[in-house]
């Protein structure tokens, strides 16, 4: 898989991809992550990539020309399954998006900035608009890293335990059940006996029941989505 991220602040994105699971995935050749500085496609000696809004108003807008130039240069080299724009008014990113994106070959993620991008980029270039929540960040870089992390960890061979991702929260619209590790007794609080029983059928049933109950208590909307 290949992920190309277009940003005006590539230095902000380097660290997340240089550590832990994301670094190992790249070292194993399971994913390529390329950061593209949009200013390389900007205008004039200051490499301008933003301008004032038509009609007035506070905040600058990312210009269409540099974005189209960058994306079209990438498209000349390979076909992209999705061109994603990170924006607060996009679809709320969830596990289903992550699962779907983990099955494709190549994606571009455009990290929004300033007051947003020229609408013509959204109308004629972007294929999927995503948000990581109902709040506004200073830019789309951290959101792009979040989406990339959620997708990359699902790729075969990235996690040491292939089944780990399948038991994460939000798979099958359920939150993950409680988990415990040693010691079996800590300050008088004991690990549930069923988890120490060795009866894997009972353990799986207990985990499922706990996942359902936790979802009912904390995110009942997820259960409504299953209907």
């Amino acid at each position: 898989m290949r992920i190309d991220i277009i940003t005006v602040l590539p230095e902000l994105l380097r660290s997340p991809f240089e550590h832990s699971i994301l670094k190992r995935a790249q070292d194993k050749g399971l994913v390529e992550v390329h950061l593209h500085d949009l200013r390389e496609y900007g205008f004039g000696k200051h490499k301008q990539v933003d301008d004032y809004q038509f009609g007035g108003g506070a905040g600058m807008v990312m210009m269409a020309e540099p974005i189209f130039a960058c994306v079209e240069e990438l498209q000349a080299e390979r076909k992209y399954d999705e061109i994603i724009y990170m924006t607060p008014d996009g679809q709320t990113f969830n596990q289903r998006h992550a699962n779907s994106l983990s099955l494709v070959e190549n994606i571009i993620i455009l990290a929004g900035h300033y007051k947003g991008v020229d609408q013509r980029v959204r109308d004629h270039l972007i294929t999927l608009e995503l948000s990581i929540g109902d709040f506004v960040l200073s830019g789309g870089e951290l959101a792009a890293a979040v989406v990339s992390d959620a997708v990359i960890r699902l790729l075969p061979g990235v996690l040491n335990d292939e089944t780990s991702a399948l038991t994460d929260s939000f798979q099958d619209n359920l939150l993950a059940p409680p988990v415990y590790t040693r010691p079996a007794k800590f300050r008088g609080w004991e690990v549930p006996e069923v988890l120490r029983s060795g009866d894997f059928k009972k353990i799986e049933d207990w985990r499922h029941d706990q996942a359902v109950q936790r979802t009912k208590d904390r995110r009942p909307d997820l259960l409504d989505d299953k209907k």
Side-chain angles (χ1 to χ4, degrees):
M1 182 180 196
R2 176 180 171 120
I3 301 175
D4 289 275
I5 302 177
I6 301 172
T7 169
V8 295
L9 291 172
E11 61 273 15
L12 185 60
L13 272 168
R14 291 196 178 98
S15 180
F17 296 101
E18 292 177 349
H19 302 278
S20 190
I21 289 173
L22 300 188
K23 182 179 188 300
R24 292 201 303 270
Q26 293 174 86
D27 290 344
K28 290 180 178 180
L30 301 173
V31 65
E32 294 181 33
V33 178
H34 298 270
L35 306 179
H36 304 274
D37 187 348
L38 188 61
R39 294 197 183 278
E40 294 181 5
Y41 301 85
F43 297 103
K45 66 177 182 179
H46 297 298
K47 298 297 184 180
Q48 181 183 0
V49 296
D50 62 305
D51 209 337
Y52 295 103
Q53 302 183 53
F54 276 115
M60 305 293 279
V61 176
M62 294 174 72
M63 302 164 70
E65 293 103 317
I67 297 170
F68 269 85
C70 182
V71 170
E72 288 173 349
E73 183 175 289
L74 291 170
Q75 287 178 318
E77 299 174 358
R78 68 192 58 81
K79 182 180 183 300
Y80 285 90
D81 301 281
E82 295 283 6
I83 302 175
I84 301 168
Y85 174 47
M86 302 307 306
T87 173
D89 61 353
Q91 300 177 42
T92 302
F93 180 70
N94 58 31
Q95 192 63 43
R96 282 176 290 187
H97 286 117
N99 291 344
S100 177
L101 290 172
S102 72
L103 301 176
V104 306
E105 292 293 326
N106 304 305
I107 62 174
I108 292 173
I109 303 179
L110 171 62
H113 234 277
Y114 311 116
K115 198 65 176 178
V117 303
D118 188 300
Q119 183 63 35
R120 290 166 289 190
V121 172
R122 302 176 73 166
D123 289 343
H124 304 290
L125 199 59
I126 301 301
T127 63
L128 178 63
E129 299 186 347
L130 293 176
S131 166
I132 61 168
D134 295 339
F135 49 87
V136 178
L137 299 172
S138 300
E141 285 77 17
L142 298 180
V146 166
V147 169
S148 299
D149 187 303
V151 171
I152 290 171
R153 66 189 306 280
L154 295 173
L155 300 178
V158 170
L159 299 181
N160 292 329
D161 183 347
E162 291 289 331
T163 65
S164 179
L166 299 178
T167 57
D168 286 339
S169 288
F170 305 112
Q171 294 289 7
D172 197 30
N173 278 35
L174 293 176
L175 299 182
V179 293
Y180 299 85
T181 188
R182 293 181 291 182
K185 187 174 183 178
F186 173 67
R187 294 186 179 179
W189 305 312
E190 293 192 30
V191 173
E193 185 177 347
V194 64
L195 296 179
R196 295 175 283 149
S197 68
D199 188 325
F200 293 109
K201 176 64 168 60
K202 287 184 178 179
I203 291 171
E204 288 306 307
D205 288 344
W206 180 88
R207 285 175 171 162
H208 177 74
D209 291 343
Q210 290 290 314
V212 171
Q213 189 59 53
R214 177 170 282 190
T215 306
K216 284 181 179 178
D217 293 340
R218 302 185 181 192
R219 290 292 305 275
D221 57 296
L222 294 175
L223 296 175
D224 292 338
D225 289 343
K226 294 184 71 173
K227 296 177 181 177

